[in-house]
Amino acid sequence: MKIVAKKTFDRKVLDVNIELEEHKIYALIGANGSGKSTLLKVLSSVINPDTDSSIDIPFKNDEVYYMPQMPYTFDLSVYNNIKLGIPLKSSPGEKIYCKYRIDTMLKTIDLNQLRKANAQTLSGGEKQKMALIRSLVVKHALLLLDEPTSAMDINATLKAEELIQKYKEEFDGTIIMATHSIKQAQRLADVVLFLDEGEIKEIADAQTFIDHPQSDELKDFLQKI
Amino acid sequence: MWASFWQSLGEAFKIIGSGNPLMNEVVATTMKMAVTSSIISFLIGAPLGLLLATYNFKGKKVLVIICRTLMGLPPVAIGILVYLLFRGIGPFGQLRLIFTVTAMIIAQVLLITPVVVGMVETSAESTGKALFETRRGIGLGSTRTFLLMANENKYQLIAAYLFAFARATAEVGAVQIVGGNILHKTMVMTTYIALNYNTGNLEFAVALGIIIIAITLGFNLVGGVLQLIGSRKKKR
């Protein structure tokens, strides 16, 4: 799939033009302000294409799912928040399967005991767990995750990664995930994209990134983390 | 000095206790007008306020400016406007609504709706901005988003309705002009208070003032209890 995304705001903040294979997990790494979140927002049309931004991707708006870093939690129970991820047009059979998936994921990520709690009373990490399950309930043509585990502890992070991996295996899905952790990229991603000043500077698997960084920007980035 | 004050209050409570038929009739007319106008204002204003808080569309800023301008209009100006529209020789004169409770309700709806829109829009704006990314990311449809927004702002909506009701109960300028304060027809508590005050019948005016305060207090207590129940339910 070819992805073209551009955004300017006084200065150039994003200029991405890459060809990616489908059915893979891509980790998007880069320093703060490198354009990771902007790229995901442009791809998901959270930032509407206008004179300052444009996208060209082979998917419709509703085929792309975006989980923001700080997901909004509705004044509903955890379970009902997650159920918002089930498309209204789903058949009864699909809905039953979705509910089964939700139950399984709630147990895997240790959130089942809070399924009836009001979601607005959850901690930051718990909110991320809930939002992650919501994003993994059904298959999306393109799943965009913006630092989905940034507020989780290491145990929860590993379980969240397990869920992401299972989603990819079950649905053969395509995921682009922004992360600050090169270790997470190593554990989870098929391919790592290094973003710097709004441009993709390097594409490789995580190990190659660490062992043989090419650009000075990546070497500098790796030294700092 | 205080003796006259307490004496007036005592007389007022005696009048309330006596169950004066005219007073009961005035209270009933007031309730009919206030409940109807506040419900209509709420049904128009609350969705419009949520719409303004949730969606960006062309002309939104103009609509917000119009609403905020209307919020500041004095009731007598609305009263005169409705009077001009519905008096015998006015464009809607053939409807024969002037000096009826219906005309008073129309005036109050014009007066209160912009306030409801403003209150809901202001209180729901922060929620609208916060859930924007999630809503777009999940791909929630317009109807679902709208219902969720209403749920997110339910306490603000309750507060907006209570304010609308209080405003409708306490308003005097517009209803005086379009209602005419006609005995057994359009006389409401506020206009009756003004009449009694002007004719020196102070105890009746005080009695009605106490009833207005009691009704408004009652409504706000119900709203407060609902909010309390909601916040308790939210706790794990």
Side-chain angles (χ1 to χ4, degrees), chain A residues 41 45-46 48 65-66 68 72 74-76 84 86 88 114 118 120-122 126 134, chain B residues 127 130-138 140 144 148 151-152 154-155 233-236:
Chain A
K41 285 177 185 177
S45 295
V46 164
N48 272 321
Y65 189 104
Y66 167 68
Y72 185 84
F74 295 95
D75 187 10
L76 301 167
L84 292 172
I86 305 175
L88 282 177
L114 295 174
N118 187 294
Q120 292 184 342
T121 63
L122 300 183
E126 288 166 343
R134 185 162 65 195
Chain B
T127 317
L131 72 80
F132 176 78
E133 283 186 3
T134 301
R135 169 173 74 83
R136 183 65 71 85
I138 294 175
L140 289 176
R144 232 174 167 192
L148 283 166
N151 182 56
E152 293 303 290
K154 51 186 173 289
Y155 301 120
K233 266 188 182 174
K234 209 185 257 192
K235 286 178 186 169
R236 282 192 216 176

Side-chain angles (χ1 to χ4, degrees), chain A residues 6-9 42 46-55:
Chain A
K6 293 180 194 297
K7 175 153 183 67
T8 52
F9 186 74
V42 170
V46 164
I47 297 175
N48 272 321
D50 55 20
T51 48
D52 288 334
S53 68
S54 64
I55 49 164

Side-chain angles (χ1 to χ4, degrees), chain A residues 154-173:
Chain A
I154 185 63
N155 285 331
T157 298
L158 293 174
K159 285 174 180 171
E161 289 172 7
E162 188 186 324
L163 292 184
I164 295 169
Q165 194 67 50
K166 275 187 183 165
Y167 167 90
K168 188 234 169 183
E169 285 164 11
E170 181 170 355
F171 293 131
D172 208 13

